[in-house]
Amino acid sequence: MIDLKVTDVLVQCLENEGVEYIFGIVGKETLDFAESLSKSEQIEFVNVRHEQGAAFMADVYGRLSNKPGVCTSTLGPGAANLITGIASAQLDHSPVVAIIGQAGLNRQHPESHQFVDIVKLFKPVTKWCTQILESQFLPTAIRKAFRTAKLEKPGSIVVTLPENLAAQMIPNLPLSVAPIPEIIPDMDSVKSAVRLIENHLKPFVIVGNGVIRQDAGDALLSFIEALDAPVTHSFMAKGVLPKDHPQQYFTFGFNEQDEVLAGLEEADSLIVIGFDFVEKLPKEWNPKKLPVIHIDTVPAEINEYYPVQAELVGNIKKTLEMLVQQKLPHKTWAPSGGLQEKIKMAYKTEQTDSNLTIENILHIVEKCSNENAIVISDVGAHKVAIARTYQPKKPNRTIISNGLASMGIAIPGSIGAKLACPSDQVICITGDGGALMNISEIETAKRLGLSFIIIVLNDSMLKLEVQIMNKMFGENYGLTFGNPDFVQLADSFGIKGFRGETLSYFEKVFKEALASEEIVLIDVSI
């Protein structure tokens, strides 16, 4: 067996894990890693413009590719710049592995240039964070990192490599990749859940992000059609039911105007499937402490507003299939007062005028894009509109930062989406505030030869905060700003830019952009 440089072994371990892209910025402490990557025929290093963008790219790539996204940075400020994206992936349960350079072990004890304790820095926002102290441990650490990132519930992993270990020589021993074992609930638990359903007249189904992660959409449809009870879902689970499904009660999880809560209050039990508490705490949607049937990949978190009476832990898809095989009783009921129609009107799920509003822009996106189109939402007032109004045709086609709700994800996230799904339409919808946080990544996308659409909603303010502050205090402060000319800015990046001044012109430009093989930016003054 031939010994190789540590970073050569690192690259072979990453190849062994099926890595295709690594997003990041090279620094002095990662030069050996970069040199080793240059020899890989499998992995493409994507040199980004800011480490936050690298982490967002890895996050969205991980959500769509069903394997960990990988990002890298050097020590100190480079590592610190990754934190927002790493924390976002952790809270949204997206599998991400970050490889971070670090000062040599010989200068980690005294005060040292650019040295901060990366493990302590990242530990609160990761599933697992470690520093390589013995170079021969590297293959084990990488295998554990990727396995842990994928294990339910998925999340962020950080592995730091001190500079003085990077060029050491070690045996080339990547560990074999074994599939993650699947767990299914025992039949007694399944029968207990069915009996509980039989004993309640008005169950309401709540669907969360876990259904998307477990690719359980078809099994969920079969379960809903067998049960025939009303269904609502979180922001992260958009697309699990067709827009016109008779049991569709749309999205919930808003701070205000959460219309479906009236329906939940009429229920006598809740069937909660793949729901993460980070999406909305039970206190907000189960104040009556209705009995809960918990269906998820991990046991329920103890909570007084989440009184679990039956618990089915394991693969969600197979669990739902097992329930359907038990010949579920029909529990056909509907909340009073025409709630479903009220939600449709409140969410503006159908276009009723030709004004240039975010809702009508979303109707055009929904109408003109194909069923595989991926919409990446940034954070702001438009995120609420996307969660309410926009109805994707398939699950896992609407990407929203929800757990951390971090502005700036949309443009770099679109790069991750396009690399994960190169043949699919990718549509980035961002406010002007979020756009300018990571707009430099347009250069990255242009350099990669990618094509997607960027819709910038331009109102020179943080609109959601303006709305909240006006309601609280009757006025607002510190929430407005000026903007560059986004069309000229697009031109400076070498991409096409248009100004959507009317809804009809926006539709014309949007259709042309969908047919384009370039990046197109559409500036819309709302």
Side-chain angles (χ1 to χ4, degrees), residues 19 165 265 282 315 328 373 396 473 520:
V19 175
L165 302 185
E265 292 223 346
N315 181 282
L328 289 167
N396 206 26
F473 307 109
V520 177

Side-chain angles (χ1 to χ4, degrees), residues 98-231:
I99 311 293
I100 302 178
Q102 178 58 296
L105 296 172
N106 59 321
R107 66 181 184 92
Q108 291 190 20
H109 297 288
E111 185 177 54
S112 185
H113 178 65
Q114 288 192 315
F115 171 72
V116 293
D117 190 326
I118 293 173
V119 173
K120 285 184 179 178
L121 197 64
F122 279 87
K123 189 173 182 180
V125 296
T126 55
K127 282 185 76 178
W128 183 56
C129 183
T130 191
Q131 176 172 262
I132 304 298
L133 298 174
E134 167 55 55
S135 56
Q136 295 199 30
F137 176 68
L138 178 77
T140 301
I142 296 302
R143 179 78 279 269
K144 179 178 178 179
F146 278 79
R147 179 179 171 85
T148 305
K150 281 282 291 177
L151 282 169
E152 285 288 332
K153 295 179 178 184
S156 298
I157 309 296
V158 167
V159 177
T160 71
L161 179 62
E163 182 184 16
N164 67 307
L165 302 185
Q168 289 184 358
M169 304 299 288
I170 61 172
N172 176 23
L173 288 172
L175 275 64
S176 60
V177 177
I180 294 173
E182 288 187 343
I183 299 170
I184 59 172
D186 63 87
M187 190 52 67
D188 286 344
S189 297
V190 172
K191 290 180 178 179
S192 175
V194 172
R195 285 195 296 272
L196 191 61
I197 293 171
E198 289 173 342
N199 292 335
H200 288 87
L201 297 176
K202 296 181 177 181
F204 209 120
V205 180
I206 296 175
V207 179
N209 189 22
V211 171
I212 302 289
R213 293 195 304 267
Q214 296 270 293
D215 191 25
D218 290 343
L220 176 72
L221 275 173
S222 297
F223 174 79
I224 296 304
E225 286 164 9
L227 188 67
D228 204 30
V231 183

